[in-house]
Amino acid sequence: MRRERFLDFSFHTLNTAFFALFALCCIYPFYYILINSVSDPIQMAKGIYLWPKGFSLTVYREMLSQKTISVSFWISSSRAVLGTILTVFSCALFSYLITKKEMPLRKTIYRFVVVTLYLNAGLIPWYLTMKTLGLKNNFLLYVLPSLIVGFFVILMKTFIEQIPAALEEAAVVEGAGYWTVFAKIIFPVSLPIVATITVFNAVNQWNSWMDNLFLVNDPSLQTLQLTLLNFLKQSEALAQETTRRMLGNQTTQQVISPQNVKMAITMIVTAPILLIYPFMQRYFVKGIMLGALKG
């Protein structure tokens, strides 16, 4: 008994220590970025690992004072919210329809969707298609092309097929149509996989910037990622110019270091996802497991 208790105690202790170390390895990079983004550039060059040195919010003030930053933040937020809502609804409805045996060519349509996961026409055909559809310098560029995503359809279809048919049959007996069944039975029951798709798509929408780079020239439609990239390039040039001026004038004025800007940009871009993901995690884990049972 004592030996078994000792083995159990040793196992739980080592298990806890291992996962605590693993969690620290995951959290520390974000903490390192945060403390370096609010530290003095000179102190940062010497190395900062535990606590910020020469605490300063200058880089954040400089970045947030730019009007383009606030506009781009609004565009990225609108894209993430609106794009996620439309994609989740479209994929859920489409997945429900192709599970109905009475839908013509449902298997053929589903195969075409799956093929998109493996075949890609390339950048030039994609650009020409978007331009022909009138999506250049158009906010709809951010939401329409991603209405149907093959991977999400597979997850959603697999989940819907696991829902007991008796639920839908009982509703049909009571006179419910397809829309009623979908809105009041299928979609509410599918909330775990819906939350999973929501997390996936929200992250993709927030991080996307290639479509913005190739198809948007209007600064009022630029996303936050591309705007911050341009701001970073300007800040590097500005930091070099300011450093030369300081060396010439022998001043002690604090400057914005490119390293500070990189750290601050990383925090600004990742903060919304870091704040939202913990609230969606329990649905995410449950949904991805249930949606993969028949995969």
Side-chain angles (χ1 to χ4, degrees), residues 39 44 62 76 80 100 118 128 170 173 186 218 235 246 248 258 276 295:
S39 296
M44 181 182 175
E62 290 292 332
S76 292
K100 301 292 99 183
Y118 304 97
L128 293 177
V173 171
I186 300 300
D218 187 355
S235 298
M246 288 176 57
I276 294 175

Side-chain angles (χ1 to χ4, degrees), residues 16-69:
T16 302
F18 172 77
F19 283 104
L21 181 61
F22 180 77
L24 179 62
C25 292
C26 295
I27 296 174
Y28 180 75
F30 295 100
Y31 176 74
Y32 176 83
I33 293 172
L34 176 62
I35 61 177
N36 278 272
S37 67
V38 296
S39 296
D40 180 80
I42 298 177
Q43 298 294 333
M44 181 182 175
K46 298 178 180 178
I48 299 175
Y49 304 102
L50 293 178
W51 308 106
K53 297 180 180 179
F55 182 82
S56 174
L57 297 176
T58 303
V59 63
Y60 287 100
R61 286 196 297 267
E62 290 292 332
M63 294 176 62
L64 296 178
S65 64
Q66 302 290 325
K67 183 179 180 181
T68 54
I69 297 293

Side-chain angles (χ1 to χ4, degrees), residues 6-291:
F6 175 76
L7 292 176
D8 290 341
F9 176 78
S10 301
F11 172 78
H12 289 300
T13 302
L14 293 176
N15 194 37
T16 302
F18 172 77
F19 283 104
L21 181 61
F22 180 77
L24 179 62
C25 292
C26 295
I27 296 174
Y28 180 75
F30 295 100
Y31 176 74
Y32 176 83
I33 293 172
L34 176 62
I35 61 177
N36 278 272
S37 67
V38 296
S39 296
D40 180 80
I42 298 177
Q43 298 294 333
M44 181 182 175
K46 298 178 180 178
I48 299 175
Y49 304 102
L50 293 178
W51 308 106
K53 297 180 180 179
F55 182 82
S56 174
L57 297 176
T58 303
V59 63
Y60 287 100
R61 286 196 297 267
E62 290 292 332
M63 294 176 62
L64 296 178
S65 64
Q66 302 290 325
K67 183 179 180 181
T68 54
I69 297 293
S70 58
V71 174
S72 299
F73 184 84
W74 170 252
I75 293 295
S76 292
S77 301
S78 301
R79 171 182 185 169
V81 174
L82 184 61
T84 299
I85 292 175
L86 293 178
T87 299
V88 169
F89 176 78
S90 300
C91 290
L93 181 59
F94 181 81
S95 301
Y96 171 66
L97 292 177
I98 61 178
T99 60
K100 301 292 99 183
K101 296 181 179 180
E102 54 269 29
M103 178 179 177
L105 302 175
R106 66 185 186 92
K107 291 185 178 180
T108 303
I109 295 174
Y110 179 64
R111 291 192 181 102
F112 272 114
V113 173
V114 174
V115 166
T116 61
L117 298 176
Y118 304 97
L119 300 180
N120 192 317
L123 180 61
I124 295 178
W126 169 82
Y127 175 83
L128 293 177
T129 300
M130 296 297 105
K131 185 177 180 180
T132 303
L133 293 175
L135 295 179
K136 187 173 183 180
N137 289 320
N138 192 331
F139 180 81
L140 294 179
L141 166 69
Y142 299 141
V143 294
L144 290 185
S146 61
L147 285 181
I148 300 296
V149 181
F151 177 63
F152 297 162
V153 171
I154 293 175
L155 290 179
M156 196 73 192
K157 176 179 177 293
T158 305
F159 190 95
I160 292 176
E161 289 176 341
Q162 299 174 31
I163 299 175
L167 293 176
E168 185 174 350
E169 292 173 357
V172 173
V173 171
E174 295 295 330
Y178 290 115
W179 279 107
T180 303
V181 172
F182 173 75
K184 296 186 176 181
I185 297 178
I186 300 300
F187 195 83
V189 173
S190 304
L191 284 182
I193 195 65
V194 167
T196 303
I197 294 174
T198 299
V199 173
F200 274 133
N201 193 72
V203 173
N204 291 338
Q205 289 282 15
W206 181 260
N207 291 331
S208 296
W209 62 278
M210 289 293 292
D211 49 3
N212 190 186
L213 177 64
F214 290 110
L215 291 169
V216 176
N217 299 324
D218 187 355
S220 64
L221 289 176
Q222 283 190 351
T223 58
L224 181 64
Q225 284 70 21
L226 186 60
T227 300
L228 290 177
L229 176 61
N230 295 332
F231 186 76
L232 175 61
K233 294 177 180 179
Q234 297 172 5
S235 298
E236 290 179 345
L238 178 62
Q240 295 175 0
E241 179 182 352
T242 306
T243 301
R244 289 194 297 267
R245 185 174 66 253
M246 288 176 57
L247 293 176
N249 299 334
Q250 296 297 324
T251 63
T252 59
Q253 181 183 2
Q254 186 180 20
V255 297
I256 298 177
S257 168
Q259 287 72 24
N260 284 103
V261 175
K262 291 178 182 179
M263 300 297 180
I265 287 176
T266 304
M267 290 304 303
I268 292 175
V269 172
T270 58
I273 300 300
L274 292 177
L275 294 176
I276 294 175
Y277 186 81
F279 298 100
M280 306 292 292
Q281 184 178 10
R282 60 185 181 127
Y283 298 105
F284 175 81
V285 175
K286 182 180 179 181
I288 200 66
M289 292 299 294
L290 293 176

